[in-house]
Amino acid sequence: MSHNGVKYRRTAAALTAAAALLGLGLGAGTADAAGWPPLRDGAYLYTGTTGTGHMTTVDTDDFGTCHTLSRPAASVQVVSGTAALELYRGADCTGTAWATGSLAQQDLPWTMTSYRVRQP
């Protein structure tokens, strides 16, 4: 099978696992009880808790590059078979670091001002 076929199988598996983990039906189209946005492939940073506020879409193919956010992130959602995030309290990937896995939906322990994509 092609590389794209493998990626789509991994994505489908990640979405299925995420739905099971969060108690969601795959076709539900609604957020979980905590009010999170519906799960979708990729990585997203939010200025508010539980996936609220301004959303920043992360390029999950841009491994290792440090990105400083224009607005600090307070929550994160990641559904990817190939990428995770490393978030930092300071600009330019400095200060206290915190990492997600390739399947995450959670409020961050601090507001984060920069990040880089890494392998899970």
Side-chain angles (χ1 to χ4, degrees), residues 1-115:
M1 174 145 299
S2 72
H3 174 61
N4 285 341
V6 172
K7 182 177 181 179
Y8 291 126
R9 279 201 313 263
R10 286 182 183 162
T11 298
L15 286 170
T16 301
L21 178 69
L22 298 170
L24 300 173
L26 266 181
T30 59
D32 65 354
W36 283 89
L39 292 173
R40 61 181 171 230
D41 187 36
Y44 308 90
L45 297 167
Y46 300 91
T47 57
T49 58
T50 62
T52 60
H54 177 79
M55 179 184 76
T56 298
T57 301
V58 173
D59 178 357
T60 55
D61 292 325
D62 186 13
F63 288 94
T65 304
C66 180
H67 298 274
T68 297
L69 297 163
S70 60
R71 300 173 185 172
S75 58
V76 62
Q77 180 172 289
V78 180
V79 177
S80 172
T82 59
L85 299 181
E86 196 167 86
L87 299 125
Y88 297 85
R89 289 184 80 178
D92 302 318
C93 297
T94 61
T96 305
W98 187 82
T100 73
S102 61
L103 179 60
Q105 185 182 59
Q106 58 201 124
D107 290 337
L108 299 169
W110 314 279
T111 55
M112 302 296 192
T113 58
S114 59
Y115 71 92

